[in-house]
Amino acid sequence: MGRWICCLCSRVTDSLMLLLVLALGCDPSTAATSSPSVPHVKPSYSFGRTFLGLDKCNACIGTSICKKFFKEEIRFDTWLSSHLKLPPNSLLSYSGNYTDDAKSWRQVDITRLTSKYQHDRADKRICTSLLKTKTCSLEQALRRTHRFQKWLRAKRLTPDLVQGLPSPLLRCPSQRLLDRIVRRYAEVPDAGSIYMDHLTDRDKLRLLYTLAVNSHPILLQMFPDVEGWPFPRYLGSCGRLVVSASTRPLRDFFGTAPEVAADLALQLLAVLGSMATNDLNYFFYFTHVDAGTFGVFSNGHLFIRDASTLGVIDREEGSQLMDGQQEYKDIFSCLTADCQSVLVSCDSIGEKHSLVMVCQDLLPKLLAGKFQPPMQGRIDAFLQRCAHGLGEPAELAEILKPLRSCDSRFAYRYPDCRYSDKY
């Protein structure tokens, strides 16, 4: 009798626990592992395919990280509020949190390749120019194009398949560069080959669409941070959203302390140097820089935050696309750019191309009025000459090196700086 009563009590307790779990809207399998550091209550919430851009696939970036969104292992910062409202879909980027074990979380950036307005306008352009209708199946429309039909038949990504695409990455393509795109493409389960046999028709359309809209996520995959490249880590894509490691834009540091400004300026010069001279013999250049092009991790390390304006010239093979061929235009040339825009000639890019832009637009804002005379005067004089293509970056580096400090604010090099002359 006592055993029967205990069993009955146990069943009642289990039933009450199940009712409690259902009332809270929790999954019993994850209720015990939810993060205490990230409070989370979910009364009623759904992403919707439209917010993520999944309703536009396969005219999208990819789906490699969708499961983490739906399993709530990626959370927007607004999930921490009591209202649990989705952020506005008109924003270009969002702050989020990412976990692999539901216990430890790290910050991530969730971004769109273009604004929703630009995406919507491009979608409309596809339908009106290809099918003469206001709405259509984007995938069906793009699959009918001459360019994509060539992609379907191709075994290897060759320069003629990317000619006319607006991305700076593809303005001066070599076969070696294009092979690297295919070999490092992370939105497919089996990468590593220079041949496109492992890419399905869907994969080819997603890769072509991404290259046509914004090559930022492709560059993060081609040149990963774990190999020492100055880019944030690519974590995956879902629909038209890209997830990468979080950085604060350089604009947030324009009013920072002098020693921090000096450190960031030196890092900026070092990044430009590594992009001009590296073991793979690729020359990277910017077509545009602004206060959001570079970012800073929480440990003080500076990275390229936005690679969308980054071009690559292969010094080993050279460009295999003649400038005359770049006049070829189609719908993929016009998704985010003016169809009549003239592409920059590969031969017009000089060694100091990116340095001049940085000296004109970024370093004055970072270093202006930070230091005592005559040091400030020396810095200002160099930046004026640098903005006109004169002077060497080593000259500014020599001025700034004595100005930066060695303390815990610079976690990326502390305490190593105490024992090294490098810093």
Side-chain angles (χ1 to χ4, degrees):
M1 183 67 177
R3 292 178 59 188
W4 180 83
I5 291 175
C6 289
C7 183
L8 178 62
C9 290
S10 177
R11 291 181 180 178
V12 170
T13 301
D14 290 344
S15 299
L16 290 174
M17 286 296 294
L18 179 59
L19 288 173
L20 178 61
V21 166
L22 292 174
L24 292 174
C26 297
D27 180 351
S29 64
T30 61
T33 60
S34 59
S35 172
S37 61
V38 184
H40 177 55
V41 179
K42 185 184 176 187
S44 60
Y45 182 83
S46 174
F47 265 113
R49 294 169 60 83
T50 302
F51 182 86
L52 295 170
L54 280 171
D55 58 325
K56 304 298 176 65
C57 283
N58 291 305
C60 64
I61 312 167
T63 56
S64 61
I65 210 165
C66 286
K67 286 184 179 179
K68 281 196 168 289
F69 275 106
F70 292 116
K71 290 169 65 177
E72 300 182 13
E73 293 175 347
I74 296 177
R75 303 177 182 176
F76 292 92
D77 279 352
T78 51
W79 284 30
L80 307 184
S81 70
S82 59
H83 297 92
L84 284 174
K85 292 181 179 179
L86 271 173
N89 62 5
S90 59
L91 299 180
L92 194 59
S93 63
Y94 311 88
S95 295
N97 299 279
Y98 175 102
T99 185
D100 288 318
D101 55 14
K103 296 178 182 178
S104 58
W105 294 79
R106 63 180 186 269
Q107 288 188 320
V108 293
D109 290 332
I110 305 168
T111 56
R112 302 182 188 277
L113 297 191
T114 69
S115 68
K116 187 176 184 301
Y117 168 76
Q118 288 176 302
H119 268 313
D120 291 343
R121 191 170 68 168
D123 294 344
K124 186 176 181 180
R125 186 183 294 126
I126 292 171
C127 294
T128 54
S129 63
L130 297 180
L131 298 181
K132 311 303 180 185
T133 60
K134 292 184 178 180
T135 59
C136 69
S137 166
L138 299 177
E139 180 174 357
Q140 290 181 12
L142 294 176
R143 287 177 68 92
R144 295 179 185 180
T145 61
H146 175 66
R147 187 191 294 267
F148 186 66
Q149 289 301 312
K150 288 180 65 177
W151 273 62
L152 288 179
R153 296 189 297 269
K155 294 294 184 181
R156 193 174 182 181
L157 187 60
T158 52
D160 63 296
L161 296 177
V162 300
Q163 62 177 300
L165 295 182
S167 168
L169 171 64
L170 304 170
R171 291 185 182 179
C172 315
S174 68
Q175 189 59 59
R176 185 171 72 115
L177 184 70
L178 298 179
D179 287 344
R180 191 174 183 87
I181 291 176
V182 175
R183 194 170 63 248
R184 296 296 184 94
Y185 185 43
E187 287 298 313
V188 294
D190 180 26
S193 171
I194 63 173
Y195 297 101
M196 296 197 290
D197 297 335
H198 62 288
L199 270 64
T200 64
D201 295 356
R202 173 199 66 193
D203 298 328
K204 289 182 178 181
L205 180 56
R206 291 178 180 176
L207 176 57
L208 172 57
Y209 179 84
T210 307
L211 289 171
V213 174
N214 187 327
S215 59
H216 169 76
I218 302 299
L219 275 157
L220 268 56
Q221 296 166 46
M222 293 171 66
F223 304 101
D225 67 309
V226 293
E227 295 179 1
W229 297 98
F231 299 106
R233 181 165 302 181
Y234 176 81
L235 297 173
S237 300
C238 184
R240 289 180 169 178
L241 292 179
V242 178
V243 183
S244 59
S246 177
T247 58
R248 289 177 60 192
L250 188 61
R251 69 172 64 90
D252 291 355
F253 296 85
F254 285 164
T256 194
E259 59 272 20
V260 177
D263 183 81
L264 292 175
L266 283 165
Q267 287 193 72
L268 189 51
L269 294 176
V271 166
L272 294 182
S274 68
M275 303 309 276
T277 305
N278 51 76
D279 292 341
L280 293 185
N281 219 9
Y282 287 121
F283 176 75
F284 296 77
Y285 67 93
F286 287 99
T287 58
H288 170 78
V289 296
D290 58 36
T293 301
F294 297 89
V296 182
F297 283 124
S298 58
N299 65 357
H301 207 171
L302 182 137
F303 276 60
I304 296 173
R305 189 171 190 258
D306 179 4
S308 62
T309 64
L310 202 59
V312 183
I313 295 175
D314 190 341
R315 283 175 164 161
E316 190 169 300
E317 289 189 0
S319 173
Q320 297 179 18
L321 190 63
M322 301 300 293
D323 286 343
Q325 290 178 284
Q326 293 182 339
E327 296 176 2
Y328 173 84
K329 303 283 185 179
D330 66 354
I331 188 62
F332 289 100
S333 309
C334 314
L335 294 183
T336 57
D338 181 3
C339 292
Q340 306 304 318
S341 60
V342 179
L343 301 180
V344 176
S345 170
C346 304
D347 297 332
S348 67
I349 307 299
E351 289 288 328
K352 295 183 180 180
H353 181 87
S354 298
L355 178 65
V356 169
M357 288 191 290
V358 167
C359 287
Q360 289 174 343
D361 301 322
L362 295 184
L363 287 178
K365 297 174 183 176
L366 182 64
L367 299 175
K370 287 285 189 348
F371 308 99
Q372 297 295 323
M375 193 69 70
Q376 187 69 55
R378 293 177 61 195
I379 293 172
D380 294 342
F382 172 84
L383 293 180
Q384 289 179 3
R385 288 186 288 111
C386 176
H388 292 88
L390 304 174
E392 297 297 329
E395 181 183 345
L396 179 61
E398 287 303 313
I399 299 173
L400 294 176
K401 280 181 180 178
L403 302 177
R404 64 176 179 176
S405 62
C406 178
D407 58 62
S408 58
R409 287 177 298 172
F410 310 102
Y412 79 96
R413 60 180 174 88
Y414 181 84
D416 295 351
C417 54
R418 287 190 171 186
Y419 313 105
S420 173
D421 294 335
K422 178 181 176 182
Y423 300 106

